């Protein structure tokens, strides 16, 4: 298990933005990607971010990823950014092998249980957090994200 | 299982997500009643589950409608959606022995799509609509589907697992509760002293997460003894054991599940401690004290368990240590137990859904018990080393109802002159999961 080698830092800070009622700012999130590089959620401000929590051992997670790859390709120019975050237990080698096999075209970061718990305390996987261009969490989609949900909940933000 | 419910709820004939019931989390059996006015499609159900990463193994459907017959054979026409189901297979004649066109019947059977818009049912014996219970004519269908590749542990227990047996070494951790009443008979002997123990062991467990199980075991014991004219009996509650088991490892493969768990238990000094007096039985105090339902006072139990399935075989093993403390100066010796458990799935020969499995079981038990204490002092000759075999059988009538029986016989024993020897043991029990 390479979990020991995976370090993740979650920084949750109150946003100084003036928010509307019920609007929740995305936390500051710093993780390491599969190559060990830092990945900061803050760096994607101005984009519509889909934070997708997944695991190689979760069949629905694997099933939805080709759609995420497709949407990333089709809507990148309109400001969509998908970020995958793994959920333990994971073998780094398995993660690398899987994302290579389906040609994932977005960054994959290594997460811990607490990383997902920041957004969703439930036990379902996958979970996709939709963050708008202002950095506000607009949706937490539990379970596989189907095309009709993408149309309804993500496309209008682009 | 949320993903299964979500996937099915996308279908235009499916009810709302919370009306789709997953009746078996382990293997992904679900039930829902489709919207009466919408035509249903097995292919669409299969496709939506596939889209969510699942493989639909089979589906059953119950349809209420009017029989029709044409050159191709019988079909069933539903009232509200107007959908036509072709009835096919060897079971049609059996299912519809006195069928007549336009008769209102309810048919249950395996469901398939055999081409564009052609839904086919291979029926099981049918009921006439007038005899059907709680099924309205306007509710044309009820479907039950089996998904055999459900999601990961987060969803409460995955997968195409082998039907792992549910008793000692006892690794299976479900989500939900279980009640396991067991009757155990043990015949013991020491010289001319013969002892019969009848134990009703009530085991309650609850699994708040798929990795954690909390458990309470309550033994109710009746002990009778006979020794050259002297005899007596007593009954009472033994020491209650509360424990927590954490499954720290699980690797899932089709019929190749591997898992390991650690259990920590605490035997509480709740049991009845009274033992026959010297006038009642001429035997050393340590021997007499063994005729009570307890083995000592507060005692921690530590248990490491591993199990592995391979095809039809399942192997389990565990090592357990019990550190006993004294109660009123008495305790049995500290214990080390090493148990193994080999199981073979006898039936069904073709496994397509959970339930109905018959397991042949062979357990072995090695027990090393140290020197006990009586009146606060060491009791020489009370240690023992024993090895037993226990062939048995288990029948999982339903994934949530299991029956079992096993017979224990000694293979090797080296017991001290103050230690009761087990001659034979019998276990009969059921396991009810809820």
């Amino acid at each position: 298990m390479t979990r020991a080698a995976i370090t993740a830092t979650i920084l949750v800070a109150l946003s100084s933005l003036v928010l509307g009622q019920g609007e929740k700012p995305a936390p500051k999130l710093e993780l390491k990607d599969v190559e060990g590089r830092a990945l900061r959620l803050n760096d994607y401000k101005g984009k519509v971010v889909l934070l997708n929590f997944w695991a190689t051992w979760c069949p629905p997670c694997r099933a939805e990823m080709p759609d995420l790859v497709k949407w990333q390709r089709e809507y990148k120019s309109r400001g969509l950014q998908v970020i995958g975050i793994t959920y333990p237990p994971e073998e780094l080698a398995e993660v690398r092998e899987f994302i290579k096999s389906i040609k994932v075209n977005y960054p994959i970061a290594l997460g811990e249980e607490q990383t997902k718990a920041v957004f969703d305390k439930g036990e379902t996987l996958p979970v996709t957090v939709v963050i708008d261009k202002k950095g506000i969490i607009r949706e937490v989609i539990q379970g596989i994200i189907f095309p009709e949900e993408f149309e309804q909940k993500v496309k209008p933000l682009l | 299982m949320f993903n299964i419910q979500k996937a099915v709820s996308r279908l235009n004939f499916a009810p709302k997500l919370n009306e789709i019931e997953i009746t078996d989390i382990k293997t992904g059996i679900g039930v829902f009643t489709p919207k009466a006015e919408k035509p249903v499609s097995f292919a669409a159900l299969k496709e939506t589950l596939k889209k969510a990463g699942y493989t639909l193994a089979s589906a059953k459907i119950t349809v209420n409608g009017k029989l029709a017959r044409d050159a191709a054979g019988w079909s069933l026409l539903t009232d509200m959606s107007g959908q036509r189901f072709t009835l096919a297979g060897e079971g049609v004649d059996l299912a519809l022995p006195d069928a007549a066109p336009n008769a209102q019947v309810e048919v249950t059977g395996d469901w398939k799509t055999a081409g564009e818009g052609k839904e086919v049912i291979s029926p099981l014996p049918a009921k006439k609509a007038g005899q059907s219970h709680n099924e309205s004519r306007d509710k044309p269908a009820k479907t039950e589907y089996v998904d055999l590749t459900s999601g990961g542990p987060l969803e409460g227990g995955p997968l195409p697992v082998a039907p792992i047996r549910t008793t000692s070494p006892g690794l299976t951790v479900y989500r939900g509760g279980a009640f396991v009443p067991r009757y155990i008979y043990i015949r013991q002997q020491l010289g001319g002293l013969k002892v019969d123990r009848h134990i009703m062991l009530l085991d309650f467990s609850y699994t708040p997460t798929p990795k954690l199980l909390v458990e309470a075991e309550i033994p109710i014991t009746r002990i009778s003894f006979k020794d050259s004219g002297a005899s007596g009996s007593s009954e009472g509650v033994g020491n209650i054991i509360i424990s927590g088991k954490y499954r720290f490892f699980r690797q899932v493969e089709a019929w190749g599940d591997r898992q390991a768990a650690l259990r920590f238990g605490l035997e509480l000094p709740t049991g009845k401690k009274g033992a026959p007096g010297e006038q009642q039985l001429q035997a050393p105090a340590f021997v007499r004290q063994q005729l009570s339902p307890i083995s000592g006072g507060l005692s921690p139990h530590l248990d490491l368990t591993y199990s592995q399935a391979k095809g039809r075989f399942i192997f389990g093993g565990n090592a357990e240590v019990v550190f006993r403390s004294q109660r009123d100066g008495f305790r049995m010796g500290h214990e080390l137990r090493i148990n193994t458990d080999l199981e073979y799935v006898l039936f069904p020969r073709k496994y397509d859904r959970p339930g109905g499995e018959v397991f042949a079981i062979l357990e072995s038990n090695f027990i090393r018990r140290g020197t006990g204490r009586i009146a606060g002092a060491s009791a020489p000759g009370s240690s023992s080393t024993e090895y037993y075999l226990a062939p048995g059988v288990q029948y999982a009538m339903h994934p949530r109802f299991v029956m079992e029986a096993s017979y224990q016989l000694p293979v090797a024993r080296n017991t001290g002159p103050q230690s009761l020897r087990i001659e034979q043991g019998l276990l009969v029990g059921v396991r009810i999961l809820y």
Side-chain angles (χ1 to χ4, degrees), chain B residues 147-277:
Chain B
D147 153 63
L148 285 176
T149 53
S150 56
L154 279 179
E155 293 208 339
L159 323 188
V161 287
I164 296 274
R165 199 175 145 242
T166 53
T167 54
S168 174
L171 239 175
T172 309
V173 181
Y174 295 96
R175 184 177 283 187
F179 171 51
V180 185
R182 284 189 185 128
Y183 166 74
I184 301 163
Y185 166 73
I186 299 169
R187 161 61 69 92
Q188 290 176 302
Q189 194 173 6
L190 182 63
L193 174 65
K194 292 193 189 316
V195 179
D196 290 314
R197 286 177 191 268
H198 303 267
I199 304 163
M200 194 67 213
L201 186 62
L202 305 176
D203 181 307
F204 299 88
S205 61
Y206 180 68
T207 57
T209 79
K211 287 185 178 176
L212 182 69
L213 179 143
V214 289
E215 191 173 19
E217 292 171 74
I218 306 167
I220 301 164
T221 307
R222 177 183 160 79
I223 301 164
S224 59
F225 65 88
K226 210 180 270 184
D227 183 19
S228 57
S231 64
S233 67
S234 68
E235 53 274 315
V237 176
N239 284 350
I240 292 171
I241 301 174
I242 53 168
S243 60
K245 185 193 287 183
Y246 179 71
R247 181 170 63 192
F248 59 87
F249 167 74
R250 187 175 192 195
Q251 192 164 29
V252 178
E253 288 172 31
W255 296 73
D257 212 6
R258 283 189 286 167
Q259 44 186 329
L262 193 64
R263 186 178 77 118
F264 177 75
L266 210 50
E267 187 177 325
L268 305 172
T270 52
K272 189 178 168 188
K273 59 188 178 183

Side-chain angles (χ1 to χ4, degrees), chain A residues 57-61 63-64 67 87 89 113 116 123-126 141-149, chain B residues 2-3 6-7 10 48 50-54 149-156 159 175 208-211:
Chain A
W57 44 261
C58 159
C61 304
E64 74 172 351
D67 277 343
Y87 189 88
E113 287 182 21
K116 177 173 167 283
E123 295 193 328
T124 299
L125 265 190
I141 300 171
Q142 290 190 321
I144 187 166
I145 174 168
F146 286 106
E148 60 269 24
E149 278 179 302
Chain B
F2 178 81
N3 283 293
K6 187 173 177 181
R10 297 173 70 213
T48 193
K50 188 181 171 193
K51 184 81 187 156
Y54 300 93
T149 53
S150 56
L154 279 179
E155 293 208 339
L159 323 188
R175 184 177 283 187
T209 79
K211 287 185 178 176

Side-chain angles (χ1 to χ4, degrees), chain B residues 20-73:
Chain B
I20 296 161
E21 198 185 349
I22 304 298
T23 54
D24 191 301
I25 291 171
K26 260 180 89 187
T27 45
I29 300 178
V31 179
F32 68 93
T33 301
K35 290 175 185 164
E37 70 283 6
K38 302 276 188 190
V40 299
S41 163
F42 174 86
L45 176 63
K46 190 173 182 176
E47 184 56 31
T48 193
L49 285 168
K50 188 181 171 193
K51 184 81 187 156
Y54 300 93
T55 303
L56 179 61
S58 64
K60 269 199 301 189
I61 189 164
T62 300
V63 178
N64 196 309
K66 274 192 186 127
L67 278 174
R69 188 172 177 96
D70 58 20

Side-chain angles (χ1 to χ4, degrees), chain B residues 12-23:
Chain B
N12 66 353
F13 57 85
K16 287 180 195 156
L17 187 142
N18 58 7
E19 291 169 21
I20 296 161
E21 198 185 349
I22 304 298
T23 54

Side-chain angles (χ1 to χ4, degrees), chain B residues 250-307:
Chain B
R250 187 175 192 195
Q251 192 164 29
V252 178
E253 288 172 31
W255 296 73
D257 212 6
R258 283 189 286 167
Q259 44 186 329
L262 193 64
R263 186 178 77 118
F264 177 75
L266 210 50
E267 187 177 325
L268 305 172
T270 52
K272 189 178 168 188
K273 59 188 178 183
E278 206 165 357
Q279 292 97 339
Q280 207 178 351
L281 177 66
Q282 290 287 322
F286 187 81
V287 174
R288 282 186 282 111
Q289 194 59 54
Q290 288 173 73
L291 302 178
S292 72
I294 64 166
S295 300
L298 187 73
S299 306
H301 292 227
L302 198 63
D303 176 350
L304 181 66
T305 309
Y306 176 79
S307 104

